[in-house]
Amino acid sequence: MALFVPGKIGDLVVPNRIVMAPLGRARNHVESREALGRAAIYYAQRATAGFIISEATHVSPASVSRPGTGAIHSEGQVAAWRAVTDAVHQANGRIFQQLFHLGRKADPDRLPGRQLPVAPSAIAANGTLPTADGSAKPFPVPRALETSEIAELVEDFARAAENARDAGFDGIELHAANGFLIEQFLRDDANQRHDRYGGGVENRARFLLEIVDNAIQIFGAAGVGVRISPHFRGDGAGASDPSTLFPYLGWALNRRNIAYLHLIEPDATPAARKLRAALRNVFSGSLILAGDFTRESADYVLRAGEADFVAFGRLFISNPDLVARFRIPDAPLNEPDEASFYAGGDRGYIDYPALDAKAALLA
Ligand SMILES: Cc1cc2nc3c(=O)[nH]c(=O)nc-3n(C[C@H](O)[C@H](O)[C@H](O)COP(=O)(O)O)c2cc1C
């Protein structure tokens, strides 16, 4: 199967095309947000993936919302992540760290000094934030960033990339998807600035590209990937010109020679396929697709040359040995238990059973 053809991601040689998608599991220390011992077990259990992309980690204390999500802006967090990357490397795996900033989707009640979240423009996301008592409250209207403050945020990402390097990660993935800060700059529904960070696609892409350029200084282009979600409509961060914006991004990232572009692509409409093909045309690094893939549909897109890697999210939550299971036709898969996705603790995290492969082959 194409899934098991060895490949390269940047400079890394990887044994298969099966990527563990970034998955926030809200299992870090509630106050310090340091990864706990169980994270090293969880990620090492999944080290047979071609490579792992870590859960999204906050680049700054001004980014947070739900308790227990990961971060990479303090020394303690770097040391805690070092234990995770060591465990993955000892298990012969490879791991990139996903970096993000929530921007207007941060929770003011959890930010230092209860400050307002920042964003390109003072426009609230559609939707709600979870509250401590289990109810929901609307996203706040954020404070629009002064032009001079944007450099500080770019710097937050650069420091986080340095931290990721010090923590032993093989590379970083910039989370430019799902309506978080980088995507808020990209999309003109959320970005109505009149300075050099707003307006046409080149201006809206500037924030991401400045962050990418810094990350390249730290990891080399071979250690940098970018995740985008051209079809995300979750919280009102639309773009009026996706068919210009995303190919421009693909072109600009290609010029920088980064390792990969990671596309969240649950949308199988003709327009989505056309955009994917346009990106494939302009971007010659690796293309990773994610979203609702099965063993068979993943193998199909790899064989058709539509992708170089396929990332699996929920199936990797419930099957630590997903790669071994995919090697066996019709091997049973554990069902992911949604109730424990963000529940904390070991249950639903490190206790999903591996398959008894010999028994499965004989069955
Ligand atoms: C519990 C959970 C947490 C997630 N956390 C992240 C995240 O931190 N960063 C990210 O880019 N995507 C995140 N996603 C999206 C996944 O990476 C993936 O794109 C999505 O689950 C679709 O793939 P699947 O159908 O294989 O699960 C998350 C998804 C789930 C279910």
Side-chain angles (χ1 to χ4, degrees):
M1 289 187 100
L3 281 171
F4 298 106
V5 176
K8 270 188 98 181
I9 194 86
D11 291 337
L12 289 180
V13 177
V14 304
N16 60 61
R17 305 307 178 105
I18 302 163
V19 175
M20 178 173 166
L23 295 159
R25 305 299 312 280
R27 269 148 169 107
N28 301 280
H29 189 276
V30 172
E31 273 106 50
S32 70
R33 296 184 187 269
E34 289 169 13
L36 298 173
R38 63 168 82 101
I41 299 170
Y42 167 78
Y43 283 108
Q45 283 175 339
R46 289 155 179 80
T48 49
F51 75 108
I52 294 170
I53 304 165
S54 83
E55 65 205 71
T57 53
H58 301 287
V59 301
S60 142
S63 160
V64 297
S65 64
R66 86 170 68 230
T69 50
I72 187 72
H73 50 76
S74 79
E75 275 179 30
Q77 291 157 3
V78 173
W81 277 113
R82 169 57 83 170
V84 174
T85 63
D86 282 349
V88 170
H89 291 144
Q90 271 159 24
N92 289 323
R94 297 140 294 275
I95 181 166
F96 275 44
Q97 183 160 40
Q98 192 186 53
L99 305 182
F100 80 152
H101 190 301
L102 296 184
R104 67 181 187 170
K105 291 170 83 169
D107 183 346
D109 290 337
R110 299 185 197 279
L111 297 188
R114 299 199 160 201
Q115 59 190 281
L116 271 184
V118 291
S121 300
I123 302 168
N126 291 342
T128 56
L129 277 163
T131 59
D133 64 10
S135 57
K137 59 185 175 190
F139 282 114
V141 178
R143 180 174 69 77
L145 286 156
E146 301 292 334
T147 306
S148 59
E149 291 177 295
I150 294 177
E152 292 166 30
L153 279 163
V154 172
E155 203 37 49
D156 284 341
F157 275 93
R159 259 194 309 274
E162 281 172 357
N163 289 343
R165 181 196 57 201
D166 294 348
F169 284 93
D170 298 301
I172 52 147
E173 175 176 286
L174 295 166
H175 194 345
N178 294 358
F180 298 119
L181 182 62
I182 297 177
E183 193 172 46
Q184 291 160 29
F185 272 93
L186 293 176
R187 294 180 175 271
D188 51 4
D189 276 7
N191 178 355
Q192 297 184 359
R193 301 182 69 86
H194 299 292
D195 60 5
R196 64 183 196 283
Y197 292 96
V201 295
E202 291 178 27
N203 278 1
R204 282 184 274 137
R206 192 180 307 281
F207 181 63
L208 168 62
L209 296 176
E210 287 181 356
I211 292 170
V212 168
D213 287 338
N214 285 334
I216 290 173
Q217 294 296 317
I218 295 155
F219 268 102
V224 178
V226 171
R227 192 173 214 210
I228 56 173
S229 51
H231 308 294
F232 178 72
R233 293 286 176 276
D235 54 24
S240 60
D241 49 6
S243 56
T244 316
L245 171 65
F246 290 102
Y248 170 73
L249 271 187
W251 172 85
L253 294 171
N254 190 57
R255 283 187 58 192
R256 288 163 170 82
N257 213 15
I258 64 165
Y260 71 85
L261 195 55
H262 185 177
L263 198 53
I264 307 178
E265 178 78 16
D267 189 339
T269 59
R273 293 180 69 85
K274 202 167 150 203
L275 183 56
R276 187 202 294 181
L279 283 169
R280 194 75 167 144
N281 234 350
V282 293
F283 184 76
S284 52
S286 293
L287 188 66
I288 306 177
L289 298 183
D292 283 332
F293 278 96
T294 61
R295 175 183 188 264
E296 283 66 34
S297 63
D299 200 58
Y300 174 83
V301 291
L302 291 170
R303 270 188 291 119
E306 292 177 21
D308 302 296
F309 292 86
V310 176
F312 294 87
R314 288 160 295 173
L315 286 180
F316 249 123
I317 289 179
S318 55
N319 298 279
D321 57 341
L322 187 64
V323 173
R325 288 176 192 248
F326 276 172
R327 280 195 183 275
I328 304 166
D330 301 322
L333 295 171
N334 299 323
E335 284 293 317
D337 167 36
E338 277 189 39
S340 56
F341 278 0
Y342 305 111
D346 292 350
R347 207 182 66 74
Y349 191 56
I350 54 172
D351 63 348
Y352 280 105
L355 190 67
D356 179 343
K358 240 191 255 155
L361 275 175
L362 292 175

